[in-house]
Amino acid sequence: MLTIRCAKCGRKLFRYLKIGKGELHICIKSRIEKDFTVRDGKFVKCPRCGSVVGVDIGVYIKMKKGRFVSSGTKVNK
Ligand SMILES: [Zn+2]
C-alpha cells in the first residue's frame, strides 16, 4: 500500500494499492483505499493547501507530476 502526500504541505491525500513497479502517473479509483482529497469540478485538490494534485478522468485520477510524493510498498505482479 502506498501513502500519497501533497508535495507542498505534506498532507495525506490517498492510501493507494499500486500494482507494478513503474512510476505513479494515475490512481485507479477502485484501488484507492482512502481518499482525503477534495474536488473542485474535475480537479483533485489537497484538503489543506488547495494545491491541485490531479484531474478526475472518470475511472481514474491523472496525477500531476511534482505535486505529490509517495511512500510505502508496491505490489509486484
Ligand atoms: Zn497540500
Side-chain angles (χ1 to χ4, degrees):
M1 196 66 69
L2 285 183
T3 299
I4 298 165
R5 292 174 183 275
C6 175
K8 231 179 185 177
C9 73
R11 179 72 166 80
K12 215 182 269 182
L13 301 172
F14 298 115
R15 296 245 314 142
Y16 183 66
L17 180 65
K18 170 83 168 75
I19 295 172
K21 280 182 180 173
E23 249 184 273
L24 188 79
H25 298 293
I26 63 165
C27 280
I28 297 160
K29 284 181 183 172
S30 59
R31 292 196 199 143
I32 297 173
E33 194 200 59
K34 268 188 185 146
D35 186 349
F36 303 98
T37 59
V38 291
R39 298 290 192 279
D40 182 3
K42 66 187 171 109
F43 295 105
V44 179
K45 291 179 160 186
C46 171
R48 183 185 284 159
C49 72
S51 172
V52 176
V53 294
V55 180
D56 193 324
I57 306 291
V59 292
Y60 65 88
I61 294 161
K62 192 172 190 308
M63 299 301 289
K64 286 193 181 287
K65 215 178 172 184
R67 299 285 180 89
F68 65 93
V69 290
S70 62
S71 60
T73 51
K74 296 165 184 173
V75 178
N76 296 320
K77 268 193 180 163

